[in-house]
Amino acid sequence: MERAMAIMEQPSSTISSAGMRGLNGWRQVLSPGQVSSILVVVRGFGLSFYGDTDGPDNARLYAPDLAARVRAVGGGPR
């Protein structure tokens, strides 16, 4: 679990190619309205661990019922 967390904390290779710097680089690219619109779609898929903070809410991300909540809105294998 600790190794998985360390891997997830590393920036993706697309960050540097998109010109974003650091974990909150998206704030330099997206307007608050765009963030709100994106979050509506993301939450529609049952992904409630994202908000307007710099990273995901890890307590929600690793919640034991996450897979069931995503399946309930039609995501994942059936």
Side-chain angles (χ1 to χ4, degrees), residues 1-66:
M1 178 75 161
E2 191 172 312
R3 177 167 158 66
M5 288 296 294
I7 290 171
M8 290 176 48
E9 289 174 356
Q10 294 176 357
S12 113
S13 61
T14 59
I15 287 178
S16 60
S17 65
M20 291 186 269
R21 296 184 184 252
L23 185 59
N24 63 357
W26 58 270
R27 291 182 189 274
Q28 300 164 6
V29 179
L30 300 174
S31 72
Q34 288 173 310
V35 172
S36 294
S37 296
I38 291 167
L39 289 176
V40 167
V41 173
V42 168
R43 289 183 182 131
F45 284 99
L47 305 175
S48 62
F49 48 85
Y50 284 115
D52 61 358
T53 59
D54 291 340
D57 178 338
N58 287 325
R60 287 182 176 204
L61 179 60
Y62 294 106
D65 67 332
L66 177 62

